[in-house]
Amino acid sequence: MTSPDDGPQDLTPAGSRFRERLLDHLADGVYFVDRHRTITYWNRGAERLTGYAAADVVGHRCHDNLLQHVDADGVGLCEGRCPLVAAVGDGQDHEAQVWLRHADGSRRPVRVRTSPILDGDGRVTGAVEVFDDATELVTARQRADSAQRDALMDGLTGIPNRRFLEMMLGARAEDLQRYGTPFTVLMADVDHFKRVNDGYGHATGDEALRVVAETIRGGVREGDFAGRWGGEEFLVIAQHTEAEDALALAERLRLLVASSAVRTPGGPIAVTVSIGAAVARPAEPAADVVARADGALYAAKGAGRNAVVLAPAREAS
């Protein structure tokens, strides 16, 4: 029997090199840790999904917080509710959806599955984590050909543009009128964006927009639509939402952006967004819902920024 103290190489099954080559062909990210949570193997899928090469992570402990996993509320998991810690601790499989911090600084959602690694006596010697991209592609991007996709996508950030969002707004307003299906509009604006441009240059400003776009795109739910409205403004159309759901989603996006980072020559910088939310009213034109969300956004800016404000449910009397 192989002793668990023989070193991290024992975490890899027999025929390790052959099996590692197989794992390198998986689209999913796969990595092994020993019982001290030191990373002993990192496949090419993990490199692609995180932006970190194996050389950057192998030999480091996962609780060195390289990926800085957070939950939907932006709460860090590496020192607490980590699925890997749970697998090593109780010897059971665990699953979770978390947001990792990519090497480019953006937050990206991944589905995580962890399992303990046992020796011949059934003792836990480490764990394996398998993770994959949990970002839902918008329907238009799945169906459109290249020319159509380009017409509906923002060239800088790679997310849907205003034209696409206006189409979706019209469709959601029609669904509300015909079937009573509720929806909410969230308008987000990067705080102090001019300072980023003036202080770090337009290239860093563009990178900030890309980081925020990727983070928001990864933070919305399946069936929601997120895109760039223009400038440093982003718009989310959240389906089947009332006020409580809208506030929860907006707060999640705010926290995820606040925990992201933008690379600069002098090191990473933090950015935040202010968000205004408006729940669509029956028979309300889509443009009016957007205007109310925009008004709530300005109220969030006035409240000190990095804040969420919900527009009033009814017209003031």
Side-chain angles (χ1 to χ4, degrees):
M1 180 190 71
T2 302
S3 166
D5 293 324
D6 284 347
Q9 67 272 18
D10 295 321
L11 293 177
T12 307
S16 60
R17 295 308 306 157
F18 174 71
R19 298 195 182 191
E20 287 179 12
R21 286 197 296 271
L22 289 180
L23 291 175
D24 274 338
H25 285 84
L26 294 178
D28 291 351
V30 180
Y31 67 99
F32 296 115
V33 298
D34 64 16
R35 61 185 180 180
H36 304 296
R37 294 167 62 195
T38 299
I39 298 171
T40 61
Y41 172 71
W42 186 264
N43 80 336
R44 289 178 184 171
E47 292 182 337
R48 179 180 59 81
L49 290 169
T50 68
Y52 290 102
D56 297 328
V57 296
V58 171
H60 293 273
R61 296 181 179 183
C62 64
H63 56 276
D64 290 342
N65 219 6
L66 181 70
L67 301 180
Q68 301 187 29
H69 289 131
V70 297
D71 63 14
D73 297 319
V75 177
L77 302 180
C78 289
E79 299 302 329
R81 295 171 292 144
C82 170
L84 269 178
V85 172
V88 171
D90 62 19
Q92 303 294 316
D93 295 344
H94 293 270
E95 294 188 13
Q97 178 165 324
V98 304
W99 278 259
L100 61 78
R101 195 162 87 175
H102 191 274
D104 67 10
S106 65
R107 284 288 179 186
R108 303 197 182 186
V110 290
R111 283 180 289 263
V112 166
R113 301 176 298 285
T114 62
S115 297
I117 296 174
L118 309 177
D119 66 12
D121 290 333
R123 294 177 296 183
V124 176
T125 61
V128 56
E129 178 171 307
V130 180
F131 60 99
D132 64 338
D133 187 357
T135 303
E136 298 293 339
L137 296 177
V138 295
T139 302
R141 191 164 192 173
Q142 292 174 324
R143 296 178 178 175
D145 61 25
S146 178
Q148 290 173 319
R149 183 171 62 246
D150 290 346
L152 297 175
M153 292 293 156
D154 177 61
L156 175 64
T157 63
I159 65 173
N161 60 19
R162 182 164 180 161
R163 178 183 175 189
F164 174 87
L165 292 168
E166 287 176 340
M167 291 167 55
M168 292 300 103
L169 282 166
R172 297 291 79 80
E174 183 176 347
D175 286 346
L176 175 59
Q177 184 171 352
R178 295 180 61 183
Y179 309 113
T181 306
F183 74 96
T184 297
V185 170
L186 307 180
M187 182 73 79
D189 184 85
V190 180
D191 296 324
H192 301 299
F193 183 69
K194 187 174 186 299
R195 292 185 189 177
V196 176
N197 266 338
D198 292 347
Y200 298 93
H202 289 283
T204 298
D206 288 348
E207 180 65 14
L209 293 177
R210 283 190 286 267
V211 166
V212 172
E214 185 64 35
T215 300
I216 290 177
R217 185 175 73 96
V220 298
R221 309 162 309 168
E222 181 178 2
D224 294 343
F225 299 98
R228 185 182 180 195
W229 192 247
E232 62 267 29
E233 288 188 328
F234 299 87
L235 187 137
V236 174
I237 306 167
Q239 302 186 86
H240 304 287
T241 50
E242 301 291 354
E244 184 177 352
D245 297 326
L247 280 173
L249 176 59
E251 183 65 9
R252 179 168 78 186
L253 296 178
R254 184 190 69 81
L255 288 168
L256 287 171
V257 172
S259 67
S260 64
V262 180
R263 295 176 299 182
T264 75
I269 61 171
V271 293
T272 61
V273 292
S274 299
I275 302 176
V279 180
R281 300 165 177 160
E284 182 179 25
D288 291 357
V289 188
V290 173
R292 290 195 298 111
D294 197 48
L297 167 62
Y298 277 95
K301 293 283 190 183
R305 295 181 170 81
N306 192 21
V308 171
V309 170
L310 179 68
R314 298 183 180 278
E315 299 280 2
S317 56

